[in-house]
Amino acid sequence: MNRRRFIRSLGVALSGLALPQGAWAQQPRSIAGAIPPGHALQASWQAWKTLCLRPDGRVIDGFQNEDSHSEGQSYGLTLAAAFDDEAAFESIRIWTEENLAIRDDALLAWRWRHDQRPHVPDDNNASDGDLFYAWALSAMAARHDRPELAQRARMIAQDLVSVCSVPHPNGSGSLLFLPAQQGFAADTGFTINPSYYMPRAMRELAAATGVSQLQRLADDGVALMTDLAESGLVPDWVTITADGWVPPPERFSFNAGYEAMRVPLFAVWSGNPEQPSARRYAAAAQTNPPDETTTVFERGSGASLERSPHRGYQAVVGLVSCAVSGSVGAAIPAFATDQPYYPATLHLMALVAQAEIYPQCVPI
């Protein structure tokens, strides 16, 4: 039997295990222990740690001067929870608590600079880092009966909605998720990063902590993505005004680039491949050449503006395209260590989402 025929037969066998599209969004589940010991992806997790994780628990970002930030620490903590790696989880958590949990509230400072003193010159937070950090804490608290982690997750969730959620300026009562406590509000509206919304993380954290506003943020965020996708790809940044959305200030990208590619990834990881943002991305990515992946699209036309050979970006395209189409077999490459932190992390996230939710999208 040739490989493609085997993949097709495997997809038929697995189809009875998969829920209909959209059904996963209503299923309670946890990232903790999603990838069991002995699973083939454990080798990829070990490779990611070798590439990105220092022995002291610091996640390094090669794209940003080998500094660290709450996003990287929180993505690392989430992946450690996904692989139920208690040793890595604890090292990342402890380093983060000692170096970034320096604010007066429960949130994390957004960046740690290895070549500066003090290492944290700015204690503003990054709401996506706080969200993923609390999500991972909550997952491991439930799995290992650690109430202190659950309490920490609850405190973060409470402060996150307190300082980073605001009413939509149109008076509709819907909520917006600010990228940080400071710097994104103006008299004309709020500047939003759509990729900071992770619907599944918000919903599961709301259920675990009782902070119901996170569920509202998830629902309102999905509605915002749908609105943005009506006229093109979801952009990196957008400004929300009382009259609707408009391009952000000039210092922010209105293309669909390195940030926005997380929107379709998080949509399918949340079990929602029918989301228009994912469908738009999958359609645009069909123009990718064999050895490169478009990393920056012009939002309206979908024209390719920038490309990269890093396999992590190809993994996102492969997973999203397969999840959207409902096909069997995905063009997800094997995990590679010849790429920096960001594509490597998206790569492993895509592999985790495939293994957990989309058995038919087995890499080919």
Side-chain angles (χ1 to χ4, degrees), residues 170-212:
N170 65 6
S172 65
S174 63
L175 294 177
L176 298 174
F177 193 44
L178 294 180
Q181 182 178 20
Q182 302 172 13
F184 299 94
D187 292 340
T188 54
F190 301 99
T191 298
I192 298 297
N193 186 320
S195 71
Y196 279 31
Y197 289 83
M198 202 312 191
R200 176 179 169 185
M202 289 174 165
R203 288 169 176 149
E204 292 186 357
L205 193 57
T209 64
V211 181
S212 60

Side-chain angles (χ1 to χ4, degrees), residues 144-183:
H144 295 286
D145 191 22
R146 294 186 58 180
E148 78 280 9
L149 299 185
Q151 176 61 18
R152 179 79 172 104
R154 186 176 303 108
M155 292 171 62
I156 294 171
Q158 290 170 341
D159 286 346
L160 188 58
V161 300
S162 175
V163 304
C164 290
S165 67
V166 292
H168 196 296
N170 65 6
S172 65
S174 63
L175 294 177
L176 298 174
F177 193 44
L178 294 180
Q181 182 178 20
Q182 302 172 13

Side-chain angles (χ1 to χ4, degrees), residues 60-242:
I60 57 172
D61 187 343
F63 274 172
Q64 298 193 37
N65 195 36
E66 296 198 346
D67 288 343
S68 298
H69 35 67
S70 62
E71 173 209 283
Q73 295 302 124
S74 302
Y75 283 177
L77 200 71
T78 298
L79 290 170
F83 287 92
D84 199 27
D85 186 335
E86 292 185 82
F89 181 91
E90 279 301 287
S91 70
I92 296 169
R93 184 187 68 82
I94 291 171
W95 189 93
T96 306
E97 292 292 328
E98 291 178 348
N99 291 278
L100 297 182
I102 61 172
R103 292 167 49 97
D104 292 335
D105 56 22
L107 307 182
L108 303 172
W110 78 278
R111 189 169 189 176
W112 188 93
R113 296 180 178 271
H114 80 282
D115 58 354
Q116 291 189 15
R117 298 291 189 279
H119 290 298
V120 183
D122 174 13
D123 69 354
N124 201 17
N125 72 308
S127 58
D128 62 334
D130 295 316
L131 173 64
F132 272 84
Y133 191 73
W135 185 34
L137 290 174
S138 176
M140 289 295 268
R143 180 172 179 81
H144 295 286
D145 191 22
R146 294 186 58 180
E148 78 280 9
L149 299 185
Q151 176 61 18
R152 179 79 172 104
R154 186 176 303 108
M155 292 171 62
I156 294 171
Q158 290 170 341
D159 286 346
L160 188 58
V161 300
S162 175
V163 304
C164 290
S165 67
V166 292
H168 196 296
N170 65 6
S172 65
S174 63
L175 294 177
L176 298 174
F177 193 44
L178 294 180
Q181 182 178 20
Q182 302 172 13
F184 299 94
D187 292 340
T188 54
F190 301 99
T191 298
I192 298 297
N193 186 320
S195 71
Y196 279 31
Y197 289 83
M198 202 312 191
R200 176 179 169 185
M202 289 174 165
R203 288 169 176 149
E204 292 186 357
L205 193 57
T209 64
V211 181
S212 60
Q213 294 97 320
L214 285 169
Q215 175 72 47
R216 287 184 58 200
L217 280 169
D219 295 343
D220 294 341
V222 169
L224 174 60
M225 304 307 145
T226 300
D227 186 32
L228 291 168
E230 286 184 0
S231 58
L233 291 157
V234 174
D236 291 332
W237 296 88
V238 65
T239 293
I240 309 298
T241 72

